[in-house]
Amino acid sequence: MASPQLVLPEAVAAPAHRDRNVLRWLTAYTISLIGDGVYFIALGWSAQQAAGPAEVGLVMASGAVPRALLMLGGGVVAARFDPRRVLLGSAALRCLLILAVAAGVALASPALWALVAVALAFGAVDALFVPAVGALPPRITAQEQLARVAGMRALAMRVGQIAGPPTGGLAMAFGGPAAAFAAAGALFALSLPLLLKIRLRSLEPAAGGPAEPGTARQDLLDGLRYLRRHRLIGPLVAAGAVCELGLTGTLNIGMVLLNAERGWGPSGYGWIISCFGAGAAASAALLAVAGWLPRAGLTMAGTLLVGCAGAATIGLAPTVWLAAALAATVGLCAGVFGSLNNALIQTAADPSYLGRVTSVVMVTMVGVAPLSYPLVGAAIGAWGAAPVFAGCGAFAGLGALVALSSDAVRRAELPRQRPGTVA
């Protein structure tokens, strides 16, 4: 469906980090991520006040269910309609929903069922928002700038993770859950004018792409077939899924339990998580500044192998400082792997399939990967941290083998910057 937005010329001379159009998108995305962090703090605290610890987990997990179940459908929506319109619509819905919740919480203490309903609604809207965000980068900058944009996006995610919870805590201290929900809604509202000013490039579908959209079900199946048959994107998505399944639970639940097992205390856990975040942010900043790395496919697989080895070894660390150093290494490698994986998918995907491809990638992150949480927790309870970290690291390393087994991945390169472009 066509839309009346402005269209950029095909030749984009400005590098992404100096392109006002890209910076508007990045700023809006970063503000939204900070708002997400504030929202989760407000939701968790409200659930804690309304019920017990078990119910807090129920409320926090309930939002992931529609997000995981509907994400593939969100990719179809982004493909069938203008992703900019989908992005604006879902961003506006997020804002209105959370501001309405803030007003309701200010008037009365919410019941548990109401918080579950909020989490479900927010997760459903996110299933539209996330694929639309993922489909936008190729439409706001030139192809050779996508690696830089991937690094900038990864850096924005780290900023959101760092700034969101403290901002939510400050809002909670100022005015309780109502103020925190209001702060999240205000941040979502702040991103809307920036999203409205984004200009899109026109993109032509690749040869062999779908001429006309079919039914939603046909579009979904067509997207899955496209991903399965693509020589490069298929292995990239598979490698990322295996990596997420192996490392996500280990680096979240496992780190908490390892810290408790060693008796390092809250400060020790803080140092480990901070070092991981610093490593991931540093690698994202590196790619954002450099904009290109040689032999991208091999570099991606190599950093994944090193990161998996580091994750497998953390469980053996006798001191908190060694664990923190290993966490920084894992974060550095995870940042490079994630940014390169995303950039290669963005540059290789047919624009008409990009929203659906992005939705599949996000399903592995928000739908499949959290399934490892209870397994990791139960395994560490039964056998201790060291063997579980080693096993999860080895499992995640299979993702690197999946990537290396693909000739297309081994030969994959990012587009080079055009001659005459100022870096």
Side-chain angles (χ1 to χ4, degrees):
M1 182 179 293
S3 66
Q5 78 274 357
L6 297 174
V7 178
L8 293 176
E10 290 300 320
V12 180
H17 64 291
R18 297 183 182 178
D19 187 335
R20 292 182 179 178
N21 197 47
V22 174
L23 292 177
R24 279 192 290 266
W25 171 81
L26 184 70
T27 303
Y29 183 51
T30 305
I31 292 171
S32 293
L33 289 171
I34 297 173
D36 287 341
V38 176
Y39 158 74
F40 283 114
I41 291 293
L43 184 68
W45 189 262
S46 298
Q48 186 271 333
Q49 290 184 331
E55 287 77 11
V56 172
L58 170 66
V59 172
M60 301 302 288
S62 59
V65 174
R67 193 179 294 113
L69 293 178
L70 301 176
M71 190 76 73
L72 294 178
V76 172
V77 172
R80 291 173 68 88
F81 303 96
D82 175 17
R84 181 174 179 268
R85 286 182 174 177
V86 176
L87 179 61
L88 287 169
S90 57
L93 282 175
R94 280 158 47 103
C95 174
L96 293 174
L97 172 64
I98 300 307
L99 289 177
V101 172
V105 171
L107 295 174
S109 298
L112 183 65
W113 68 265
L115 294 174
V116 171
V118 169
L120 289 171
F122 192 84
V125 177
D126 248 12
L128 293 173
F129 180 81
V130 172
V133 165
L136 221 57
R139 299 171 182 266
I140 60 175
T141 191
Q143 192 178 48
E144 64 269 16
Q145 295 294 327
L146 287 177
R148 179 169 278 141
V149 171
M152 295 164 69
R153 182 181 179 186
L155 189 58
M157 293 175 68
R158 297 302 169 187
V159 171
Q161 291 169 351
I162 293 169
T167 304
L170 287 174
M172 289 288 303
F174 176 76
F181 278 119
L187 286 165
F188 294 149
L190 188 61
S191 70
L192 287 174
L194 295 167
L195 293 174
L196 281 167
K197 292 182 179 179
I198 293 174
R199 298 171 296 153
L200 303 188
R201 302 169 66 237
S202 58
L203 294 176
E204 293 297 328
E212 294 291 339
T215 65
R217 181 176 180 275
Q218 289 171 339
D219 284 354
L220 175 58
L221 295 176
D222 189 37
L224 294 174
R225 283 192 293 267
Y226 171 81
L227 189 149
R228 179 174 58 85
R229 294 172 181 172
H230 200 288
R231 295 180 61 250
L232 177 59
I233 295 177
L236 288 175
V237 172
V242 173
C243 172
E244 290 286 344
L245 191 58
L247 293 185
T248 299
T250 308
L251 297 176
N252 287 283
I253 303 301
M255 285 294 193
V256 175
L257 298 177
L258 172 66
N259 190 76
E261 184 179 288
R262 295 290 194 274
W264 291 331
S267 63
Y269 177 72
W271 276 110
I272 294 172
I273 296 302
S274 296
C275 287
F276 175 85
S283 59
L286 169 67
L287 191 57
V289 173
W292 183 84
L293 290 177
R295 302 179 73 101
L298 283 176
T299 301
M300 181 200 73
T303 53
L304 177 56
L305 275 176
V306 174
C308 292
T313 311
I314 288 179
L316 299 172
T319 67
V320 65
W321 302 114
L322 180 57
L326 288 170
T329 302
V330 175
L332 187 70
C333 294
V336 173
F337 166 77
S339 296
L340 287 178
N341 185 278
N342 181 264
L344 288 170
I345 290 174
Q346 294 270 345
T347 55
D350 184 318
S352 60
Y353 287 103
L354 187 54
R356 282 167 282 183
V357 170
T358 301
S359 67
V360 173
V361 173
M362 295 307 300
V363 163
T364 65
M365 295 176 63
V366 304
V368 177
L371 296 177
S372 65
Y373 288 4
L375 296 177
V376 169
I380 291 178
W383 301 310
V388 175
F389 271 75
C392 290
F395 179 85
L398 295 176
L401 297 182
V402 169
L404 290 171
S405 67
S406 167
D407 181 67
V409 173
R410 293 195 304 272
R411 297 175 180 271
E413 294 282 4
L414 292 170
R416 276 183 174 268
Q417 191 168 282
R418 298 173 187 174
T421 302
V422 181

